Amino acid sequence: MALSAKKLTWILAAVAVASAAGAGWQFQRMRQIEAFNRAVTEGKTPLTDTQSFEARFSTAYWLAHNARYKESSLLFLQLAEHGDANQRSAVQHNIGNIFFQRGLAINGASLTVRAEAEYLLRQAKTAYVQSLKLDNSHWDTRHNLDRLLTMLPATPTPGVGESDTPGLIMGNIPVGLP
């Protein structure tokens, strides 16, 4: 069964219209991506893909960049549960940066301030280690962790460490007796 010239022309015209529509959609999508990247680079809220991982990461990053650490930490903690290992590693890296910057900002001579700064620096260490466990290829995380380890004291202050047990704060009180 041979196709007539008229049927072939209609089929090719339909394919051409579908191809033009697809090309138009792709062009529009490229413009949206370009506008999204420009907004992210400038620290503005993107108009498209507002609920994507990248948009939420960008918002959290710029909040941290503007020293709004509490809001940024909350957004990063929400993102820590989503994405692939590389994205979660980047989130942990940024959480570590927030703790690191906060620890450096409050560092002082007072014992309470010193304990709080040490706590924040240990939280940064935990975040950096978690980031490296997720993806060991981030050199920035390795550098920050190395820098952080040189700042932390060799013997941690009791009650400030990473474990749930308070260490020497309870003194010699036996655990588990009736």
Side-chain angles (χ1 to χ4, degrees), residues 107-118:
N107 200 2
S110 170
L111 287 179
T112 57
V113 172
R114 183 174 171 259
E116 186 176 351
E118 185 178 341

Side-chain angles (χ1 to χ4, degrees), residues 59-89:
T59 302
Y61 173 81
W62 283 106
L63 285 171
H65 183 72
N66 294 327
R68 293 177 57 190
Y69 298 125
K70 186 175 284 188
E71 297 95 341
S72 178
S73 295
L74 290 173
L75 284 174
F76 275 131
L77 287 173
Q78 290 174 359
L79 287 174
E81 302 168 5
H82 304 291
D84 60 8
N86 189 21
Q87 291 172 328
R88 290 193 320 262
S89 176

Side-chain angles (χ1 to χ4, degrees), residues 158 166-175:
L168 297 175
I169 287 181
M170 296 300 289
N172 291 328
I173 299 173
V175 178

Side-chain angles (χ1 to χ4, degrees), residues 29 36 40 45-59 75 78-79 82-83 87:
R29 184 65 186 144
F36 177 87
V40 166
T45 304
L47 300 175
T48 60
D49 302 319
T50 56
Q51 292 302 314
S52 69
F53 182 90
E54 290 80 8
R56 293 184 297 164
F57 185 91
S58 171
T59 302
L75 284 174
Q78 290 174 359
L79 287 174
H82 304 291
Q87 291 172 328

Side-chain angles (χ1 to χ4, degrees), residues 10-162:
W10 280 107
I11 291 172
L12 291 176
V15 168
V17 168
S19 297
W25 183 82
Q26 286 291 331
F27 179 72
Q28 177 64 21
R29 184 65 186 144
M30 286 183 352
R31 290 178 51 106
Q32 287 176 347
I33 291 171
E34 182 180 314
F36 177 87
N37 289 340
R38 189 171 40 255
V40 166
T41 303
E42 296 170 357
K44 298 178 182 174
T45 304
L47 300 175
T48 60
D49 302 319
T50 56
Q51 292 302 314
S52 69
F53 182 90
E54 290 80 8
R56 293 184 297 164
F57 185 91
S58 171
T59 302
Y61 173 81
W62 283 106
L63 285 171
H65 183 72
N66 294 327
R68 293 177 57 190
Y69 298 125
K70 186 175 284 188
E71 297 95 341
S72 178
S73 295
L74 290 173
L75 284 174
F76 275 131
L77 287 173
Q78 290 174 359
L79 287 174
E81 302 168 5
H82 304 291
D84 60 8
N86 189 21
Q87 291 172 328
R88 290 193 320 262
S89 176
V91 167
Q92 289 295 330
H93 172 81
N94 282 286
I95 290 172
N97 285 347
I98 290 171
F99 283 124
F100 196 14
Q101 289 174 348
R102 286 179 60 200
L104 290 175
I106 67 164
N107 200 2
S110 170
L111 287 179
T112 57
V113 172
R114 183 174 171 259
E116 186 176 351
E118 185 178 341
Y119 171 77
L120 291 170
L121 293 177
R122 291 202 181 279
Q123 291 298 316
K125 175 187 170 193
T126 302
Y128 288 143
V129 168
Q130 182 65 29
S131 175
L132 290 174
K133 284 181 181 177
L134 289 168
D135 187 358
N136 198 19
S137 65
H138 293 282
W139 285 97
D140 293 340
T141 306
R142 290 180 186 186
H143 171 75
N144 289 357
L145 180 60
D146 183 51
R147 206 171 146 206
L148 183 67
L149 290 175
T150 61
M151 297 176 70
L152 285 173
T155 57
T157 305
V160 177
E162 301 165 350

